[in-house]
mmCIF file of all heavy atoms in Angstrom:
data_model
loop_
_atom_site.group_PDB
_atom_site.id
_atom_site.type_symbol
_atom_site.label_atom_id
_atom_site.label_comp_id
_atom_site.label_asym_id
_atom_site.label_seq_id
_atom_site.Cartn_x
_atom_site.Cartn_y
_atom_site.Cartn_z
ATOM 1 N N VAL A 1267 -6.459 10.932 20.579
ATOM 2 C CA VAL A 1267 -7.085 9.846 21.336
ATOM 3 C C VAL A 1267 -8.571 9.755 20.998
ATOM 4 O O VAL A 1267 -9.106 8.665 20.761
ATOM 5 C CB VAL A 1267 -6.891 10.055 22.849
ATOM 6 C CG1 VAL A 1267 -7.753 9.079 23.647
ATOM 7 C CG2 VAL A 1267 -5.424 9.872 23.230
ATOM 8 N N LEU A 1285 -20.208 -10.033 11.104
ATOM 9 C CA LEU A 1285 -20.547 -11.304 11.738
ATOM 10 C C LEU A 1285 -22.034 -11.622 11.628
ATOM 11 O O LEU A 1285 -22.417 -12.792 11.559
ATOM 12 C CB LEU A 1285 -20.111 -11.283 13.203
ATOM 13 C CG LEU A 1285 -18.598 -11.241 13.454
ATOM 14 C CD1 LEU A 1285 -18.300 -11.087 14.932
ATOM 15 C CD2 LEU A 1285 -17.926 -12.488 12.902
ATOM 16 N N ALA A 1324 -5.507 4.425 6.417
ATOM 17 C CA ALA A 1324 -4.671 5.627 6.496
ATOM 18 C C ALA A 1324 -4.340 6.007 7.939
ATOM 19 O O ALA A 1324 -3.272 6.568 8.206
ATOM 20 C CB ALA A 1324 -5.365 6.791 5.792
ATOM 21 N N GLN A 1387 15.566 -9.478 21.843
ATOM 22 C CA GLN A 1387 14.451 -8.634 21.416
ATOM 23 C C GLN A 1387 14.058 -8.934 19.970
ATOM 24 O O GLN A 1387 12.871 -8.971 19.640
ATOM 25 C CB GLN A 1387 14.843 -7.158 21.552
ATOM 26 C CG GLN A 1387 14.911 -6.673 22.995
ATOM 27 C CD GLN A 1387 15.412 -5.247 23.094
ATOM 28 O OE1 GLN A 1387 16.352 -4.849 22.384
ATOM 29 N NE2 GLN A 1387 14.795 -4.463 23.961
ATOM 30 N N ARG A 1414 -14.883 -11.559 0.667
ATOM 31 C CA ARG A 1414 -14.776 -10.754 -0.546
ATOM 32 C C ARG A 1414 -13.325 -10.532 -0.938
ATOM 33 O O ARG A 1414 -12.977 -10.500 -2.112
ATOM 34 C CB ARG A 1414 -15.467 -9.399 -0.353
ATOM 35 C CG ARG A 1414 -15.410 -8.536 -1.630
ATOM 36 C CD ARG A 1414 -16.147 -7.231 -1.463
ATOM 37 N NE ARG A 1414 -16.142 -6.508 -2.733
ATOM 38 C CZ ARG A 1414 -15.207 -5.651 -3.099
ATOM 39 N NH1 ARG A 1414 -14.167 -5.413 -2.299
ATOM 40 N NH2 ARG A 1414 -15.272 -5.016 -4.260
ATOM 41 N N ASP A 1422 -11.891 -8.892 -11.485
ATOM 42 C CA ASP A 1422 -13.342 -8.871 -11.483
ATOM 43 C C ASP A 1422 -13.824 -7.531 -12.011
ATOM 44 O O ASP A 1422 -13.050 -6.722 -12.492
ATOM 45 C CB ASP A 1422 -13.894 -9.154 -10.078
ATOM 46 C CG ASP A 1422 -13.453 -8.091 -9.068
ATOM 47 O OD1 ASP A 1422 -12.734 -7.150 -9.461
ATOM 48 O OD2 ASP A 1422 -13.851 -8.204 -7.902
ATOM 49 N N PRO A 1449 -21.771 17.170 -14.945
ATOM 50 C CA PRO A 1449 -21.908 15.811 -14.402
ATOM 51 C C PRO A 1449 -22.738 14.889 -15.300
ATOM 52 O O PRO A 1449 -22.404 13.707 -15.451
ATOM 53 C CB PRO A 1449 -22.598 16.045 -13.055
ATOM 54 C CG PRO A 1449 -22.143 17.411 -12.646
ATOM 55 C CD PRO A 1449 -22.049 18.195 -13.920
ATOM 56 N N TYR A 1474 -11.646 11.735 -13.188
ATOM 57 C CA TYR A 1474 -12.981 12.303 -13.011
ATOM 58 C C TYR A 1474 -12.909 13.819 -12.823
ATOM 59 O O TYR A 1474 -13.680 14.572 -13.430
ATOM 60 C CB TYR A 1474 -13.671 11.649 -11.820
ATOM 61 C CG TYR A 1474 -15.168 11.904 -11.780
ATOM 62 C CD1 TYR A 1474 -16.048 10.967 -12.288
ATOM 63 C CD2 TYR A 1474 -15.677 13.084 -11.252
ATOM 64 C CE1 TYR A 1474 -17.413 11.187 -12.271
ATOM 65 C CE2 TYR A 1474 -17.041 13.318 -11.233
ATOM 66 C CZ TYR A 1474 -17.910 12.370 -11.744
ATOM 67 O OH TYR A 1474 -19.257 12.607 -11.731
#
Side-chain angles (χ1 to χ4, degrees):
V1267 169
L1285 293 174
Q1387 288 175 319
R1414 182 177 184 270
D1422 62 0
Y1474 195 97

